[in-house]
Amino acid sequence: MKIFAIISILFFSFTLAGCEPRLYRDKQVMMGTFVEVVSPDPRAAAIAFNEMKRIEKLFSLYDPESELSALNRDGEVKASPEVIFVIQKSIEFWEATQGAFDITVAPLAQLWGFKDKDFRVPGDEEIATARGLTGSDKISVNLTESMVKLGLPGMKIDCGAVAKGFAVDQAIAAVKHEGITECLVSAGGDIYCLGGRRGSPWIIAVQDPGRRGFKGTLRLRDRAVATSGDYEQFFVQDSKHFSHIIDPLTGYPADGGIASVTVIADDCLTADALATAFCVKGKSAVAGLLARFPGAEVKFIKR
Ligand code: AMP
Ligand code: MG
């Protein structure tokens, strides 16, 4: 659970001397994190939460009725356009990152105990077996029949690295559809800033992981920001730190010495996926990946 998100939002929800309209602020626990909506329009939060609940129902691995649970159980599913979109986008990120971003990493994450919080360091053979079940090239999407299939028995998908960003984008699209022009949606560090905060940019503070205080502030308007880090979910064994972000190429938790990565992009799905990918690939991947996703910017904080 991303309870300790390192991006905090700085904003001022009080009315200054009664001369400005107030900002409405609402918070709910959803998708395993705190979701917060801030807007001068009182309708924004309900619209955003409804849309995000709809998306959560499609992607949740805790709900046996979700499309993703059905896919993991049966190896195939007739999927909604939203699930097909996110899976296709994820395959694109898999290609762009030479396999470092991989939604089929679930059997590895489970092996290391991140699914059931029963952490352990697995043996080489177990890792090799689980690695054999990964690879987004083994997912097939049939657009005419809206079918998604997994190529091997035992393969499983986990969209945890990208679904929150997508849900934020969907929430923003829904509030925009109702004519709302200023709104911030934050799902535990995955944020989209629609328009400004009463005309000025939204101010986002990037917190220093493991320390008090902030690393700096971002001033954003019509942009998304997402943060991933190995400080969020990890376990320590024999003084070694094992992160919940797995390098699918080795089968081991990513270990680039990075405490957190913050990515700014035009949409939150891209920011979310790239932030996870940079945790695996490290700084050496910046030039290549930003050339492929030109609207994006990245900031690293070392462990
Ligand atoms: P995030 O917090 O967005 O960085 O997503 C982290 C989550 O994505 C993990 O808890 C896993 O469920 C999943 N995950 C772990 N490693 C990877 C990877 N290499 N590619 C895609 N998803 C991953
Ligand atoms: Mg992510």
Side-chain angles (χ1 to χ4, degrees):
M1 262 219 299
K2 215 172 182 175
I3 295 292
F4 301 106
I6 68 154
I7 285 215
S8 302
I9 312 159
L10 293 184
F11 61 90
F12 305 95
S13 57
F14 51 83
T15 306
L16 285 175
C19 57
E20 286 181 292
R22 65 175 289 218
L23 285 174
Y24 295 88
R25 174 190 176 181
D26 246 301
K27 218 177 200 179
Q28 276 194 18
V29 174
M30 221 184 276
M31 307 187 93
T33 191
F34 286 113
V35 177
E36 189 160 15
V37 178
V38 189
S39 173
D41 192 308
R43 298 170 301 155
I47 298 166
F49 290 143
N50 277 345
E51 178 62 5
M52 291 179 84
K53 272 182 204 146
R54 191 178 73 81
I55 301 301
E56 183 179 20
K57 261 178 152 331
L58 299 174
F59 287 91
S60 171
L61 294 180
Y62 297 100
D63 176 358
E65 303 292 314
S66 77
E67 288 187 13
L68 230 55
S69 295
L71 175 61
N72 286 344
R73 187 180 57 237
D74 305 334
E76 61 176 30
V77 74
K78 191 161 177 70
S80 58
E82 290 86 349
V83 167
I84 289 187
F85 175 77
V86 170
I87 288 178
Q88 282 187 311
K89 279 281 182 188
S90 299
I91 296 171
E92 270 176 53
F93 284 108
W94 177 81
E95 282 162 2
T97 60
Q98 292 83 37
F101 181 91
D102 191 349
I103 55 172
T104 67
V105 83
L108 281 166
Q110 185 167 359
L111 191 61
W112 285 87
F114 287 105
K115 184 168 182 277
D116 306 316
K117 308 279 176 273
D118 184 13
F119 305 116
R120 70 188 187 94
V121 178
D124 290 347
E125 263 184 40
E126 292 174 288
I127 291 179
T129 307
R131 275 197 61 220
L133 296 174
T134 63
S136 290
D137 53 337
K138 303 184 185 92
I139 308 171
S140 51
V141 179
N142 179 332
L143 290 177
T144 358
E145 291 173 22
S146 303
M147 287 297 292
V148 182
K149 283 189 189 172
L150 303 179
L152 295 172
M155 264 185 87
K156 290 191 186 341
I157 279 183
D158 175 352
C159 289
V162 81
K164 277 201 291 286
F166 174 67
V168 168
D169 287 338
Q170 289 286 118
I172 289 291
V175 301
K176 262 169 109 169
H177 185 73
E178 294 303 323
I180 297 169
T181 54
E182 293 193 325
C183 181
L184 180 148
V185 177
S186 164
D190 289 358
I191 297 171
Y192 190 91
C193 302
L194 173 67
R197 184 179 66 83
R198 298 193 203 111
S200 308
W202 294 95
I203 300 170
I204 312 294
V206 181
Q207 199 179 327
D208 195 348
R211 296 183 196 196
R212 283 166 179 265
F214 296 106
K215 265 289 190 190
T217 55
L218 306 169
R219 298 169 70 80
L220 300 179
R221 185 194 284 272
D222 295 325
R223 295 275 273 165
V225 57
T227 295
S228 280
D230 73 358
Y231 58 91
E232 291 175 325
Q233 288 181 48
F234 61 89
F235 69 96
V236 178
Q237 188 168 309
D238 299 333
S239 318
K240 262 205 88 155
H241 178 114
F242 296 102
S243 151
H244 69 134
I245 297 175
I246 311 272
D247 181 346
L249 303 184
T250 62
Y252 274 73
D255 187 18
I258 295 160
S260 81
V261 183
T262 295
V263 175
I264 303 165
D266 290 335
D267 62 87
C268 204
L269 180 150
T270 300
D272 194 1
L274 288 182
T276 308
F278 278 122
C279 285
V280 179
K281 296 210 67 135
K283 277 191 174 172
S284 61
V286 170
L289 271 178
L290 296 193
R292 174 98 189 234
F293 300 96
E297 297 164 48
V298 57
K299 297 174 199 301
F300 287 86
I301 300 178
K302 277 187 173 174
R303 198 184 300 151

